[in-house]
Amino acid sequence: MDLKKYIRSIPDYPKKGILFRDISTLIKDEIAFEEVINQIVKKSKKFSFDKVAAIESRGFVFASAVSYLLKKPFIMLRKKNKLPADVHSVNFNLEYGTATIEVHKDSLNENEKVLIIDDLIATGGTAEAAAKLIEISHAKVAAFIFVINLFDLNGTENLKKKYNVESLIDFPGH
Ligand code: AMP
């Protein structure tokens, strides 16, 4: 199945110069959605991990299904001020702006291994911040799995220097 053709590309969204890769056209097709989840599950078998974490909000779409199928706990990495209990926070740069992500302090235990899932890697800033959150929590990043890799923005290349990284679909960033 060619998953690539289910991704819609929208020029100049959310601002000029960004070619937005839209996964809504993929997940509204139940067969394509099932295929993506199965491919992530298959790739995840290469790694040993205790928990699945994902970055709000498109990461949740894929990661919660994977966590359910693998019977592993699901940890939410959320935008600033969304989590109600005590949090760890990390600030980072996005391809279009800056942001903060947070995790509950009691989400992870020391030395637990975490699989991080997101819809897309561009510059890798979000992924680095997610890894930092895991590490501040004294846990470890087992691997990252992305649905889409914007290969010419070098996010994966940089992330691979420190972590295991897998992705399903390659697109150019522009
Ligand atoms: P980055 O931190 O640069 O790797 O950006 C990754 C995050 O921003 C992902 O969670 C994506 O959801 C979103 N993102 C960045 N660039 C794009 C793009 N061209 N199309 C769709 N989403 C994007």
Side-chain angles (χ1 to χ4, degrees), residues 122-174:
T123 64
T126 309
E128 293 270 3
K132 247 185 235 168
L133 272 185
I134 303 305
E135 288 160 2
I136 289 171
S137 306
H138 304 292
K140 291 183 174 136
V141 177
F144 285 93
I145 303 180
F146 300 97
V147 177
I148 300 170
N149 173 30
L150 302 187
F151 59 86
D152 53 353
L153 299 184
N154 296 331
T156 296
E157 204 175 294
N158 288 330
L159 209 58
K160 273 189 173 164
K161 291 176 190 155
K162 280 172 75 181
Y163 305 103
N164 297 310
V165 185
E166 298 282 338
S167 55
L168 308 185
I169 308 168
D170 276 332
F171 272 116
H174 301 282

Side-chain angles (χ1 to χ4, degrees), residues 71-161:
K71 298 186 168 40
K72 302 272 190 195
F74 181 59
I75 306 302
M76 297 190 289
L77 310 180
R78 296 212 61 185
K79 288 173 186 152
K80 199 177 170 66
N81 296 330
K82 298 283 187 189
L83 292 170
D86 284 349
V87 292
H88 295 298
S89 298
V90 171
N91 299 317
F92 65 103
N93 295 318
L94 279 170
E95 195 185 359
Y96 39 83
T98 61
T100 302
I101 54 170
E102 300 184 327
V103 69
H104 273 146
K105 285 185 177 171
D106 63 0
S107 284
L108 297 164
N109 300 312
E110 201 166 336
N111 289 329
E112 277 180 333
K113 289 175 279 179
V114 182
L115 171 69
I116 304 176
I117 295 176
D118 203 3
D119 66 320
L120 181 144
I121 179 163
T123 64
T126 309
E128 293 270 3
K132 247 185 235 168
L133 272 185
I134 303 305
E135 288 160 2
I136 289 171
S137 306
H138 304 292
K140 291 183 174 136
V141 177
F144 285 93
I145 303 180
F146 300 97
V147 177
I148 300 170
N149 173 30
L150 302 187
F151 59 86
D152 53 353
L153 299 184
N154 296 331
T156 296
E157 204 175 294
N158 288 330
L159 209 58
K160 273 189 173 164
K161 291 176 190 155

Side-chain angles (χ1 to χ4, degrees), residues 46-90:
K46 291 165 98 172
F47 310 108
S48 152
F49 56 96
D50 306 295
K51 292 182 174 174
V52 176
I55 305 156
E56 176 178 1
S57 58
R58 276 165 280 149
F60 290 178
V61 173
F62 301 99
S64 64
V66 170
S67 145
Y68 174 82
L69 285 174
L70 294 177
K71 298 186 168 40
K72 302 272 190 195
F74 181 59
I75 306 302
M76 297 190 289
L77 310 180
R78 296 212 61 185
K79 288 173 186 152
K80 199 177 170 66
N81 296 330
K82 298 283 187 189
L83 292 170
D86 284 349
V87 292
H88 295 298
S89 298
V90 171

Side-chain angles (χ1 to χ4, degrees), residues 23-40:
I23 53 117
S24 73
T25 39
L26 184 148
I27 61 175
K28 77 173 182 167
D29 184 294
E30 72 279 17
I31 308 295
F33 189 28
E34 183 184 31
E35 176 66 20
V36 168
I37 298 302
N38 288 342
Q39 286 194 22
I40 297 173

